[in-house]
């Protein structure tokens, strides 16, 4: 038996700061504890000593020196390593955070600072009604991002008040999130697929949601265009190195906000991080589609992604059209009175299938792989030789293109056979000039082979371009996505078609727009305002009849068709190289790019990846591919964990399927993207080869 003096010698004083919400300053509370006291017991003694009647269930202990939460309440102080010199803070786990959304609106809501970012983002998206939260993450903006804005505020005598939308969530609602794959009429709000307004069946949902109907409209509808002056004040990356700096601030999804130094009421950017937008459904995704549209719009306006002048005018016309529909007070309420319950529709399709019929969404069973054969012109760039195209007979089969001198020699040996698996496909199109070209960058051992193909008309171009895009991903024309890809390309080409001047003349008389609001500042400087307005209205004739949601989806599809779409850039130094390069990370490949010229050097596909390793001691990523190809690099513009998470995140997202009852495997996500907390003291850690198509 221990005497009271023995017990006193085994105990010690622990000072804990209490972050009380009703008091401006934190106050210290001293407890006498022993090493065998568990964390829950410490918090119980602390609350008893504070002696204030309130709900303490959201409070937890934060260890300042170790920069971690003490959330395992059954662990003892000895097991946690807590001693008398520990600086502990008793603070709420949920705190206010300001989120800057893609539509330039700021939302203030209560977020868990103790849950890992992956789970915190899921709760945020659930509060904002954004499905597929795994595509979204939080970005801490660089100093340059708000630099111009701060300079403008400094020069302004009157203080600028920020329009903040408050979304009140229950601070203790930290249970398991609703699976992003599960949704139905009773669980998820539905929207009119034509104009994006909440459907009547959704009104009861808003009564239980922190997102009111009015707030939902703010998030689901496009905001008025910014003035040219405001656009000029925003940060615009001028080079690939500048673009790489923008991507340095992505938060670690496997750690909490508090562990990453995020303060209460700090402003972060909520952005779509992974460019694989799964299962976009206008009926459920009005907010998601609008925020995607806004992120794409700002990427175009601030030249975060390059496009031609012709494409810029198409984007401007769509923006003008969407802006007109969004601001109109007379948006028609397109109610589909013959709406069929989704369960009945699924049963109907099942019934047709069982009877041997063909449902609307049933894919054709293609057993023979189609092929394309036609006369095209080819050009291979060489030094000191003028650009001259030569006509050949081309045959596209599987994922390869073979070309012959003429059609009669098709059964013989081709002049050359090009394997397009893993290549880069870049459109080289000018609709007004009747130029329909395809630029192929084919990976070889020492870099990339550059090949240009020239088609005669839109239909030929759409078929060959779609085949090239699929072949680069390792798919053939038998894939179900081939025909939709052809139609998307044709749709984008039609939007670029120039209309007659007579149609535009009438539009100019009633012009109600500032054309500089819809194009990048650099494009606006090239044209006079009246000339730019005429060209935008000319392009607008092709999209004038589109409903609101369809126009946003068309904008997103046009954005996805740009050559640089989905590329996230980082400044790296490859092992054995004496100069820095740019690494482009996409949903299906890595690209090494010359930092000075912006020209791709080589491409590696995820489908050819065998495994990747991270040496956390020297912060180096090493990747092994098929055919004994290995690369290693250190990241200069960001921590290697950021790049490592991008690679693992895209591989994780490729495991999703169309099964709506499927729940996401969060443990698999952390295995593919984490590793940092489990590898301390270890040299090389293999992250496995959980690679799927």
């Amino acid at each position: 038996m221990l005497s009271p003096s023995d017990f006193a010698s085994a105990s010690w004083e622990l000072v804990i700061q209490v972050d009380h919400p009703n008091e401006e300053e934190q106050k210290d509370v001293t407890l006498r504890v022993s090493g065998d006291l568990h964390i829950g017991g410490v918090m119980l003694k602390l609350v008893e000593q504070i002696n204030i009647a309130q709900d303490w269930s959201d409070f937890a202990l934060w260890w300042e020196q170790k920069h971690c939460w003490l959330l395992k309440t059954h662990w003892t102080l000895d097991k946690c390593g807590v001693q008398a010199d520990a600086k502990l803070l008793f603070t709420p786990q949920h705190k206010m955070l300001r989120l800057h959304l893609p539509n330039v609106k700021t939302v203030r809501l209560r977020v868990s600072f103790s849950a890992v970012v992956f789970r915190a983002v899921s709760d945020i998206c659930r509060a904002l009604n954004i499905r597929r939260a795994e595509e979204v993450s939080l970005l801490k903006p660089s100093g340059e991002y708000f630099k111009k804005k701060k300079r403008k505020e400094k020069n302004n005598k009157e203080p600028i008040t920020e329009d903040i939308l408050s979304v009140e969530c229950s601070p203790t609602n930290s249970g398991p999130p609703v699976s992003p794959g599960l949704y139905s009429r009773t669980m998820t709000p539905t929207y009119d697929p034509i104009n994006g307004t909440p459907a009547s069946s959704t009104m009861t949902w808003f009564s239980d949601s922190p997102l009111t109907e009015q707030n939902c409209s703010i998030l689901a509808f496009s905001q008025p265009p910014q003035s040219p002056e405001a656009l000029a004040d925003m940060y615009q990356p001028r080079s690939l190195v500048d673009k790489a700096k923008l991507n340095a601030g992505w938060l670690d999804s496997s750690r909490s906000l508090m562990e990453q130094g995020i303060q209460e009421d700090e402003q972060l950017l909520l952005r779509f991080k992974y460019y694989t937008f799964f299962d976009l459904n206008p009926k459920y995704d009005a907010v998601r589609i609008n925020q995607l549209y806004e992120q794409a719009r700002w990427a175009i306006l601030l030249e975060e992604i390059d496009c031609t002048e012709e494409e810029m005018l198409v984007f401007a016309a769509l923006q003008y059209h969407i802006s007109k529909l969004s601001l109109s007070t007379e948006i028609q309420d397109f109610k589909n009175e013959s709406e069929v319950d989704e369960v009945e529709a699924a049963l109907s399709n099942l019934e047709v299938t069982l009877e041997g019929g063909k449902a609307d969404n049933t894919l054709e069973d293609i057993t023979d792989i189609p092929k394309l054969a036609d006369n095209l012109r080819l050009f291979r760039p060489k030094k000191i030789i003028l650009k001259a195209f030569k006509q050949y007979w081309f045959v596209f089969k599987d994922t390869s293109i073979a070309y012959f001198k003429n059609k009669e020699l098709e059964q013989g040996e081709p002049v050359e056979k090009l394997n397009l698996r893993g290549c880069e496909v870049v459109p080289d199109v000018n609709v007004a000039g009747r130029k329909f070209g395809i630029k192929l960058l084919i990976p070889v051992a020492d870099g990339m082979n550059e090949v240009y193909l020239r088609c005669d008309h839109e239909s030929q171009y759409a078929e060959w371009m779609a085949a090239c895009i699929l072949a680069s991903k390792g798919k053939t024309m038998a894939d179900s996505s081939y025909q939709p890809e052809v139609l998307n390309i044709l749709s984008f080409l039609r939007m670029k078609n120039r209309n007659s001047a007579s149609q535009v003349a009438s539009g100019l008389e009633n012009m109600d727009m500032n054309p500089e609001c819809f194009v990048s500042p650099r494009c606006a400087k090239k044209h006079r305002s009246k000339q730019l307005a005429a060209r935008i209205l000319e392009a607008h004739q092709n999209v004038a009849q589109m409903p609101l949601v369809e126009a946003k989806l068309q904008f997103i599809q046009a954005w996805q068709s740009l050559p640089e779409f989905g590329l996230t850039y980082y400044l790296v130094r490859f092992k054995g190289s004496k100069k820095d390069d740019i690494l482009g990370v996409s949903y299906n490949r890595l690209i090494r790019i010359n930092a000075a010229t912006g020209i791709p050097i080589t491409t590696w596909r995820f489908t050819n990846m065998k495994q990747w390793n991270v040496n956390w001691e020297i912060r180096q990523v090493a990747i092994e591919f098929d055919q004994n190809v290995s690369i290693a690099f250190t990241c200069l513009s960001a921590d290697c964990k950021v790049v490592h998470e991008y690679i693992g995140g895209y591989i994780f997202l490729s495991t999703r399927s169309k099964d709506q009852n499927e729940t996401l495997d969060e443990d698999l996500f952390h295995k593919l993207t984490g590793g940092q907390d489990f590898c301390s003291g270890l040299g090389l850690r293999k992250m496995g080869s959980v690679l799927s198509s």
Side-chain angles (χ1 to χ4, degrees):
M1 297 291 291
L2 288 173
S3 65
S5 60
D6 292 333
F7 178 78
S9 64
S11 64
W12 34 274
E13 288 188 342
L14 180 64
V15 179
I16 301 176
Q17 279 189 329
V18 178
D19 185 10
H20 202 284
N22 298 328
E23 297 182 8
E24 292 184 3
E25 294 184 0
Q26 299 170 345
K27 66 177 183 178
D28 293 343
V29 176
T30 303
L31 299 178
R32 179 157 288 277
V33 297
S34 58
D36 59 354
L37 182 63
H38 53 76
I39 299 297
V42 173
M43 292 194 293
L44 181 61
K45 289 184 71 171
L46 182 62
V47 170
E48 288 174 348
Q49 189 157 329
I50 295 171
N51 196 26
I52 297 177
Q54 71 166 63
D55 184 4
W56 296 96
S57 60
D58 189 47
F59 279 64
L61 290 173
W62 167 257
W63 191 354
E64 188 63 42
Q65 294 107 318
K66 296 287 186 180
H67 226 59
C68 68
W69 288 93
L70 301 178
L71 298 176
K72 296 182 178 179
T73 54
H74 60 285
W75 279 25
T76 63
L77 293 175
D78 283 343
K79 188 171 183 179
C80 293
V82 175
Q83 297 178 350
D85 61 345
K87 293 181 180 178
L88 300 184
L89 175 66
F90 193 52
T91 183
Q93 298 176 62
H94 289 75
K95 303 176 187 291
M96 298 307 293
L97 192 68
R98 287 179 297 132
L99 298 176
H100 192 263
L101 303 182
N103 68 339
V104 202
K105 282 288 181 184
T106 299
V107 174
R108 191 170 183 265
L109 73 169
R110 197 173 298 278
V111 178
S112 174
F113 273 57
S114 62
V116 295
V117 166
F118 183 87
R119 204 168 301 139
V121 169
S122 295
D123 292 340
I124 290 168
C125 289
R126 183 171 51 182
L128 301 180
N129 189 29
I130 299 174
R131 289 197 314 136
R132 301 293 174 186
E134 65 274 11
E135 299 167 359
V136 182
S137 193
L138 298 173
L139 178 67
K140 188 171 184 176
S142 61
E144 287 89 351
Y145 190 86
F146 292 116
K147 186 170 64 177
K148 286 191 173 183
K149 184 178 178 182
K150 287 178 181 176
R151 191 185 305 143
K152 182 181 178 184
E153 290 176 359
K154 189 175 180 181
N155 297 333
N156 222 340
K157 294 181 179 179
E158 295 182 3
I160 297 175
T161 56
E162 189 177 13
D163 183 19
I164 297 178
L165 173 68
S166 291
V167 179
E168 285 298 329
C169 300
S170 171
T172 57
N173 185 19
S174 56
V178 178
S179 163
L182 289 170
Y183 61 86
S184 69
R185 296 175 67 87
T186 57
M187 291 172 61
T188 302
T190 57
Y191 302 87
D192 191 297
I194 305 297
N195 57 31
T197 56
S200 56
S201 60
T202 289
M203 295 309 162
T204 55
W205 183 89
F206 287 113
S207 62
D208 298 325
S209 168
L211 196 66
T212 64
E213 183 184 349
Q214 180 183 2
N215 291 345
C216 175
S217 297
I218 293 174
L219 300 183
F221 281 88
S222 178
Q223 300 303 305
Q226 297 277 349
S227 67
E229 295 77 21
L231 199 59
D233 282 329
M234 294 183 176
Y235 176 71
Q236 298 177 49
R238 299 298 181 188
S239 64
L240 287 177
V241 175
D242 289 341
K243 293 177 183 178
K245 290 177 183 176
L246 291 176
N247 298 309
W250 288 109
L251 297 189
D252 186 341
S253 297
S254 302
R255 297 166 63 207
S256 69
L257 292 171
M258 200 91 158
E259 289 170 324
Q260 299 180 68
I262 305 302
Q263 303 297 318
E264 184 172 7
D265 215 32
E266 187 171 339
Q267 179 158 305
L268 299 177
L269 309 183
L270 184 72
R271 294 290 184 269
F272 290 89
K273 178 179 180 180
Y274 300 103
Y275 294 90
T276 50
F277 313 128
F278 189 72
D279 187 28
L280 270 180
N281 190 331
K283 190 174 180 182
Y284 303 101
D285 291 324
V287 176
R288 183 178 171 212
I289 289 171
N290 184 61
Q291 297 300 326
L292 256 178
Y293 158 72
E294 290 286 349
Q295 185 163 326
R297 184 169 78 93
W298 286 110
I300 299 294
L301 292 177
L302 299 179
E303 296 185 279
E304 293 173 10
I305 184 170
D306 291 335
C307 65
T308 65
E309 188 174 299
E310 192 176 45
E311 290 163 343
M312 180 69 76
L313 292 171
V314 172
F315 286 121
L318 283 167
Q319 286 179 71
Y320 173 59
H321 183 63
I322 292 166
S323 177
K324 280 182 65 177
L325 292 180
S326 299
L327 293 174
S328 173
T329 56
E330 299 177 358
I331 296 179
Q332 294 181 5
D333 187 13
F334 293 93
K335 297 282 185 184
N336 187 0
E337 296 179 0
S338 61
E339 182 182 6
V340 182
D341 185 274
E342 57 204 48
V343 177
E344 293 180 10
L347 290 173
S348 175
N349 277 347
L350 178 62
E351 183 181 357
V352 173
T353 305
L354 291 174
E355 290 176 358
K358 183 178 176 182
D360 292 340
N361 59 352
T362 305
L363 299 176
E364 294 183 12
D365 182 21
I366 303 176
T367 53
D368 296 326
I369 297 176
K371 76 171 186 177
L372 290 174
D374 210 340
N375 284 310
L376 302 178
R377 286 165 289 161
L378 176 137
F379 165 71
R380 280 184 175 279
K382 296 179 182 178
K383 293 181 180 178
I384 325 176
I385 294 181
L386 295 175
K387 195 170 185 177
F389 284 87
K390 188 175 180 181
Q391 182 168 294
Y392 292 95
W393 177 257
F394 282 80
V395 176
F396 200 128
K397 187 74 183 283
D398 293 327
T399 59
S400 299
I401 291 180
Y403 61 93
F404 308 83
K405 287 188 175 181
N406 52 56
K407 183 178 180 180
E408 288 70 27
L409 299 175
E410 181 181 336
Q411 302 305 321
E413 284 293 318
V415 176
E416 188 180 13
K417 189 173 183 179
L418 306 172
N419 184 4
L420 303 191
R421 187 185 291 264
C423 77
E424 294 298 309
V425 184
V426 182
D428 183 22
V429 176
N430 185 327
V431 177
R434 307 302 297 167
K435 172 186 171 185
F436 303 100
I438 303 171
K439 178 181 175 182
L440 301 173
L441 297 170
I442 303 170
V444 291
D446 57 346
M448 307 280 274
N449 273 346
E450 196 171 342
V451 177
Y452 289 82
L453 304 181
R454 184 66 61 84
C455 301
D456 295 327
H457 48 80
E458 292 98 327
S459 299
Q460 187 185 52
Y461 168 79
E463 291 175 349
W464 284 81
M465 184 66 178
C468 290
I469 291 172
L470 263 65
S472 71
K473 302 174 184 177
K475 298 178 181 179
T476 69
M477 287 176 282
D479 192 86
S480 60
S481 61
Y482 175 67
Q483 286 302 329
E485 187 70 42
V486 172
L487 294 175
N488 284 339
I489 293 170
L490 284 172
S491 175
F492 194 36
L493 291 177
R494 290 191 189 105
M495 284 193 286
K496 292 183 181 182
N497 273 331
R498 303 282 291 272
N499 289 281
S500 62
S502 58
Q503 287 179 304
V504 181
S506 59
L508 275 171
E509 295 173 3
N510 302 316
M511 189 179 67
D512 57 345
M513 70 163 165
N514 187 348
E516 289 83 4
C517 297
F518 302 107
V519 296
S520 68
R522 186 164 55 174
C523 180
K525 289 176 184 176
K526 293 181 181 178
H527 306 279
R528 286 178 297 179
S529 183
K530 200 168 184 180
Q531 180 190 19
L532 189 60
R535 296 189 66 183
I536 292 174
L537 287 172
E538 187 179 3
H540 178 251
Q541 301 300 314
N542 294 317
V543 299
Q545 303 305 315
M546 279 188 188
L548 180 59
V549 176
E550 184 185 338
K552 290 180 182 178
L553 289 172
Q554 280 288 346
F555 193 100
I556 294 168
Q557 287 178 1
W559 175 46
Q560 290 174 306
S561 71
L562 296 177
E564 291 185 11
F565 167 78
L567 280 175
T568 306
Y569 300 104
Y570 291 98
L571 188 66
V572 301
R573 174 73 63 88
F574 279 88
K575 187 177 180 180
S577 176
K578 295 182 179 179
K579 61 178 183 177
D580 301 339
D581 287 308
I582 295 292
L583 179 72
V585 184
S586 182
Y587 74 97
N588 61 353
R589 67 198 188 280
L590 300 174
I591 307 175
R592 183 177 181 177
I593 304 170
N594 187 301
T597 64
I599 297 174
I601 299 172
T602 189
T603 299
W604 304 280
R605 293 268 165 183
F606 287 161
T607 49
N608 299 329
M609 188 189 296
K610 294 171 69 175
Q611 65 179 17
W612 77 98
N613 310 304
V614 182
N615 188 327
W616 297 108
E617 291 179 357
I618 61 173
R619 319 302 288 177
Q620 185 183 75
V621 180
I623 308 176
E624 184 181 334
F625 297 92
D626 292 337
Q627 299 176 347
N628 298 321
V629 175
S630 298
I631 62 171
F633 58 85
T634 53
C635 198
L636 305 178
S637 62
D639 192 282
C640 72
K641 173 65 172 69
V642 178
V643 181
H644 166 59
E645 183 172 312
Y646 249 114
I647 297 171
Y650 272 126
I651 292 170
F652 169 76
L653 294 181
S654 71
T655 65
R656 296 182 295 181
S657 74
K658 297 235 178 196
D659 181 8
Q660 293 176 346
N661 293 321
E662 180 185 357
T663 57
L664 288 174
D665 188 347
E666 188 178 332
D667 290 337
L668 176 61
F669 175 84
H670 291 304
K671 285 178 183 177
L672 290 170
T673 62
Q676 177 170 293
D677 297 327
F678 308 101
C679 305
S680 56
L682 298 178
L684 203 64
R685 177 176 175 87
K686 294 188 177 182
M687 290 304 297
S689 54
V690 192
L691 303 176
S692 57
S693 60

